[in-house]
Amino acid sequence: MKQVVVTAFGGVENLRLYTAPDPQPKEDEVVVQLISVGMNQADLMARRGEYRLSSGEPPFTPGIEGGGVITKVGTAVKDRQIGQRVILSLGAPQRNDAQRGTYRSHFVALASDTIPVPDGIDDDLLGALWLPFLTAWGALVWRQNIQAGQVVLLPAASSSVAIAASQIIKQRGGITIGTTTSPNKVETLQNSPAAQYDHIVVTGQSSNESQPWWRTVKKVVHEEANSRGIDVIFDPVAAGDFLHHEIRLLAQGGTLWAYGLLGSIGNVDISPLIRKDAAIRGWLLNFIAGTSAETEAYQHILENVAAGIYQMPIAGTFALEQVSEAHITMESASHIGKYILKP
């Protein structure tokens, strides 16, 4: 078995590849040979020491999602077979202290922590689906119950979570406004069938817009919703000056969901929330773990991906031996969609 280990917090020089004996399953477990491991900002943050609540102290193996083929089954397992394609559940990488982290070639999981994958889904996508789509579905459908005609602002429009969210919102009849700091990404996003944005607004300093980004958003909202304001904001940044303007863009009774830790700490005037009866709420995937909604979400996501309704652009693939290069490339933030490690 090959396995990546973070030996100390810091740069990519602390990512080391080791070999170990192939694992054996207990009676209620299966061994999954991973063929796709989705990369996420949480992996980079864990390596840098910015996500210790999840990663713990070094040494540890990063990675929170993956998928592949079952190669061994425990003696008590009756509903999984060798050769079956599966994805690891939300809880799988957290359940077994000895098997935390998916940056490895083989993963031991409870059979119940694997979800069979239907035909029609490409192997590369097996490790790239549940985090973006489950993150978006859990907050926007399970918790928010997005309705047709509602306007949703999606910052970080090139990210896998925002792209997934755009598809989920459009399926439910909502109106999507994506924002990006990079003008170079706009045309690619507009031409991507997976990035289902009705409008894309550039927010970065390099924007050539003649007015501030938030005025452009207000103009769009006026055209789409008769100046009602933005009903829902789904944001991995939610900090500083950006958050200041987001609060002012919210509609009466609007909600801003913060689901990431990418912003920098700053002072924000939240007084408009009071007169708008609006709210800022936090979202963690752990909230859906172990609920009936988790199972419902997996079924919904896999069925829609298999049918070609939901899509996820793959920004690039790397062998596990190229993990340092993969982290450097992802940190450049020039991609759209998802990077994949292929053990």
Side-chain angles (χ1 to χ4, degrees):
M1 178 181 75
K2 295 181 293 184
Q3 177 181 0
V4 174
V5 175
V6 175
T7 57
F9 289 133
V12 297
E13 68 277 4
N14 296 318
L15 292 168
R16 304 291 176 84
L17 185 67
Y18 294 98
T19 58
D22 287 347
Q24 301 297 320
K26 296 178 182 177
E27 63 175 15
D28 56 351
E29 295 177 334
V30 297
V31 176
V32 180
Q33 183 174 347
L34 297 176
I35 55 179
S36 170
V37 174
M39 294 179 61
N40 297 285
Q41 286 293 334
D43 306 344
L44 310 185
M45 295 171 68
R47 190 204 74 223
R48 296 192 295 255
E50 300 167 3
Y51 207 41
R52 302 184 189 204
L53 186 63
S54 175
S55 70
E57 298 294 318
F60 62 85
T61 294
I64 55 178
E65 59 180 338
V69 177
I70 293 176
T71 57
K72 298 175 184 178
V73 297
T75 56
V77 176
K78 306 302 181 184
D79 57 352
R80 298 292 186 272
Q81 296 82 40
I82 292 174
Q84 188 173 25
R85 296 196 311 160
V86 295
I87 61 173
L88 300 177
S89 74
L90 168 61
Q94 306 173 30
R95 209 89 69 192
N96 184 345
D97 285 339
Q99 282 281 300
R100 282 179 179 264
T102 55
Y103 280 29
R104 63 180 78 226
S105 61
H106 295 76
F107 194 96
V108 177
L110 291 172
S112 58
D113 273 338
T114 64
I115 299 99
V117 176
D119 295 336
I121 298 179
D122 188 83
D123 283 348
D124 281 354
L125 287 175
L126 296 186
L129 292 177
W130 73 248
L131 187 134
F133 283 102
L134 190 59
T135 299
W137 188 92
L140 297 174
V141 177
W142 183 50
R143 284 293 179 87
Q144 180 66 40
N145 192 23
I146 285 287
Q147 300 296 306
Q150 288 190 312
V151 181
V152 184
L153 185 71
L154 297 170
S158 61
S159 71
S160 61
V161 175
I163 288 171
S166 73
Q167 297 171 62
I168 291 168
I169 294 161
K170 293 307 295 179
Q171 189 185 55
R172 295 175 70 86
I175 299 164
T176 53
I177 304 173
T179 72
T180 176
T181 59
S182 174
N184 299 329
K185 293 181 178 180
V186 173
E187 184 176 358
T188 303
L189 286 168
Q190 290 173 333
N191 293 331
S192 171
Q196 295 185 15
Y197 300 111
D198 295 300
H199 305 273
I200 299 175
V201 176
V202 178
T203 62
Q205 296 294 325
S206 58
S207 170
N208 293 321
E209 296 287 340
S210 58
Q211 60 185 357
W213 70 269
W214 50 272
R215 288 193 183 276
T216 304
V217 172
K218 287 185 75 172
K219 181 180 178 182
V220 169
V221 173
H222 178 77
E223 295 169 353
E224 291 282 7
N226 195 26
S227 296
R228 180 176 73 242
I230 294 174
D231 299 295
V232 178
I233 301 175
F234 190 52
D235 189 4
V237 181
D241 187 64
F242 194 78
L243 176 58
H244 172 87
H245 290 297
E246 285 182 310
I247 289 172
R248 282 146 185 82
L249 289 168
L250 280 171
Q252 191 74 18
T255 302
L256 186 154
W257 289 92
Y259 69 89
L261 301 169
L262 301 183
S264 300
I265 295 173
N267 293 325
V268 178
D269 176 13
I270 64 170
S271 59
L273 296 174
I274 300 172
R275 59 180 171 79
K276 290 184 175 186
D277 188 25
I280 297 176
R281 299 185 64 179
W283 170 247
L284 283 175
L285 270 173
N286 290 350
F287 298 154
I288 201 172
T291 69
S292 60
E294 182 184 4
T295 302
E296 179 186 352
Y298 291 138
Q299 182 177 355
H300 172 82
I301 292 163
L302 291 174
E303 286 179 354
N304 278 274
V305 174
I309 298 170
Y310 288 168
Q311 302 176 50
M312 181 52 61
I314 301 300
T317 60
F318 297 86
L320 201 60
E321 291 81 0
Q322 297 173 295
V323 62
S324 294
E325 179 186 347
H327 271 227
I328 292 170
T329 304
M330 188 168 177
E331 282 179 319
S332 71
S334 60
H335 64 290
I336 291 175
K338 196 84 164 175
Y339 282 121
I340 303 293
L341 290 174
K342 295 178 69 69

